Amino acid sequence: MRAPAGPVRLVLLSSAALLINYIDRGNLATAVPLIHDDLGLSHTQIGVLLSAFYYSYVLCMLPAGWLGERYGAQRVLAAGLAIWSLATLFTGLAAGFWALLLLRLLLGVGESAAFPCSSQLFASQLRPAQLDVANGVLGFAYLVGPAIGTVLGGLLMPRYGWRAVFVLFGAVSLLFAWPLYRMRLREAVQSTAADAGPSLGLILKQRGLWGASLGLFASNYNFYFILSWLPDYLVKERALSMGKMAAVAGSAYLINALSALAAGWVVAAWTRSGRSPNVFYKSLQAFANIASMLAMAGMMVLPVEGCIACLCLFEIAIGLASPGIYAIAQILAGPTATGRWVGIQNGFGNLAGIFAPMITGVLFDVTGHFASAFVLAGALNVLGLIGWVWMLPRIEPLDWSRAGRQAQVVQVV
């Protein structure tokens, strides 16, 4: 009989899945300059393709979290990985807009399992003291994904074509589904059913859920705006070559990932000393929103050197805030509710993935520039401050039995 996976193996396998997740979802943005010319698509059509992924991604997030709690998070995550790998592979064979659109929707279905299931695994398999470092490693993995994908895509696509790169990345990704599926968990997780925790209705009544969801929406709008349109912006408006663009964007994404890894270790040191993660996590989220606001303005108005410096500031800030997004949910919701909590939080937060690419494409077609898109992204950080600082309660485990009793009293009254 195989022994249950230890914390290190669990974190590494989950992180590998998230790394692959972000490489595969970001490939289209890297290929935009080539696909635009090859298929003759408008910026509005490209914006629709970039956002289409998030329609199915958002809709499937809560079901994926429920399935992970009910039937085993590692199995659901492995199945999702197989689905999104095949979608990536077949994107390289797509003949036009509609085929690309359908495959982007399928990609979203598969990738919806990533964050709810990995968060469920962490909440149920790791001790609270291990969550900070684990989420830092996970944050590094999914944030370094765009760096790897952009650099490899920027180097390989001009030489071999965007189609061959999609086929290659999809085939390689598919190899990782089997070891993830075969990973054995502790028996406590296998016996944990969705009905052992709070009801969905009780989860939906938590102010903290909606504060985190609003904060994540604002953060994600900035993140997905940059992730989706940065390659095209650097090539079209800043006149960088594909190679130079790949170097700049890949370096910025790498800085982002290293920042997330450092944040995990720093917060872990903070909490090991006996101090609460509450002030630290909230401060990092507030700093990320303020810095993002300044960075969007700087990228819009400064010369190319200043633009790149502001891009780096933005990546550092959101990297520092990244581990807290899921650690906060894991701490508040606990092992019996994290899958559904993160499913709802991530579903709401990733509505930004629908709006940011599409609105940016429309704004560019109307104005001929990216300036108005930068203004909108910067302004939305005000919502992030409201969600993360004002609406979010103290970051500590919720007493679900007490919350249930209070809800019953309110109903009687």
Side-chain angles (χ1 to χ4, degrees):
M1 180 178 293
R2 292 175 292 113
V8 173
R9 185 165 183 261
L10 173 71
V11 171
L12 290 180
L13 279 174
S14 301
S15 298
L18 269 292
L19 183 148
I20 295 166
N21 181 296
Y22 269 73
I23 290 176
D24 288 346
R25 83 166 65 177
N27 281 339
L28 187 64
T30 306
V32 161
L34 300 177
I35 292 177
H36 183 275
D37 295 334
D38 185 22
L39 300 181
L41 303 180
S42 69
H43 280 81
T44 297
Q45 287 178 306
I46 293 293
V48 169
L49 289 176
L50 290 168
S51 65
F53 161 85
Y54 296 98
Y55 285 95
S56 54
Y57 185 63
V58 167
L59 288 174
C60 295
M61 196 82 66
L62 176 57
W66 179 84
L67 288 170
E69 289 180 9
R70 185 85 182 181
Y71 298 109
Q74 87 286 3
R75 295 190 179 95
V76 176
L77 181 55
L81 198 161
I83 291 171
W84 87 62
S85 299
L86 291 171
T88 299
L89 189 154
F90 283 107
T91 296
L93 307 177
F97 173 79
W98 291 107
L100 287 172
L101 180 64
L102 290 174
L103 287 165
R104 291 294 288 180
L105 291 171
L106 182 61
L107 185 75
V109 172
E111 295 207 357
S112 67
F115 283 106
C117 290
S118 60
S119 291
Q120 176 64 25
L121 286 170
F122 283 13
S124 58
Q125 295 289 304
L126 302 179
R127 300 191 306 272
Q130 297 172 319
L131 290 177
D132 300 318
V133 173
N135 281 287
V137 173
L138 189 77
F140 172 81
Y142 72 75
L143 293 174
V144 83
I148 295 173
T150 300
V151 171
L152 289 179
L155 295 175
L156 295 175
M157 287 180 187
R159 183 170 182 179
Y160 299 104
W162 64 273
R163 294 182 182 277
V165 173
F166 273 91
V167 172
L168 174 64
F169 281 20
V172 172
S173 299
L174 193 58
L175 298 176
F176 286 85
W178 181 247
L180 188 62
Y181 177 81
R182 292 283 295 168
M183 180 174 61
R184 183 170 177 269
L185 304 181
R186 290 187 287 111
E187 290 300 321
V189 172
Q190 304 298 346
S191 63
T192 298
D195 59 3
S199 67
L200 179 60
L202 185 57
I203 295 173
L204 290 171
K205 292 177 181 178
Q206 302 308 306
R207 173 173 170 166
L209 170 65
W210 298 110
S213 297
L214 182 63
L216 183 58
F217 174 84
S219 302
N220 274 353
Y221 191 98
N222 285 254
F223 179 78
Y224 288 133
F225 163 54
I226 293 298
L227 184 66
S228 299
W229 286 104
L230 180 64
D232 202 47
Y233 172 69
L234 293 177
V235 171
K236 297 288 177 59
E237 288 210 7
R238 294 296 183 167
L240 300 186
S241 66
M242 281 289 289
K244 181 67 173 176
M245 174 277 294
V248 170
S251 298
Y253 297 150
L254 180 59
I255 290 171
N256 184 204
L258 292 172
S259 177
L261 184 62
W265 286 101
V266 170
V267 177
W270 174 275
T271 55
R272 275 199 301 268
S273 65
R275 289 172 285 190
S276 167
N278 182 65
V279 173
F280 210 100
Y281 275 134
K282 287 188 176 182
S283 298
L284 289 177
Q285 299 299 337
F287 170 72
N289 286 121
I290 294 171
S292 296
M293 199 179 304
L294 296 174
M296 292 301 113
M299 289 183 68
M300 177 179 63
V301 302
L302 294 177
V304 65
E305 295 81 5
C307 171
I308 294 172
C310 287
L311 172 63
C312 292
L313 170 64
F314 170 73
E315 300 292 353
I316 290 171
I318 62 172
L320 290 174
S322 179
I325 292 172
Y326 299 103
I328 288 170
Q330 292 155 16
I331 293 169
L332 289 171
T336 61
T338 290
R340 286 170 292 161
W341 179 296
V342 173
I344 298 164
Q345 174 185 306
N346 235 36
F348 187 89
N350 278 279
L351 289 172
I354 296 173
F355 297 128
M358 184 169 57
I359 290 174
T360 301
V362 172
L363 289 174
F364 185 92
D365 279 344
V366 170
T367 66
H369 298 283
F370 284 96
S372 56
F374 277 106
V375 172
L376 177 59
L380 285 174
N381 284 286
V382 174
L383 297 179
L385 291 171
I386 292 172
W388 290 122
V389 178
W390 181 64
M391 293 180 65
L392 197 69
R394 183 174 180 82
I395 302 170
E396 58 188 11
L398 289 171
D399 185 342
W400 287 114
S401 60
R402 180 182 178 186
R405 291 193 299 271
Q406 290 176 339
Q408 290 177 348
V409 169
V410 170
Q411 289 177 352
V412 171
V413 173

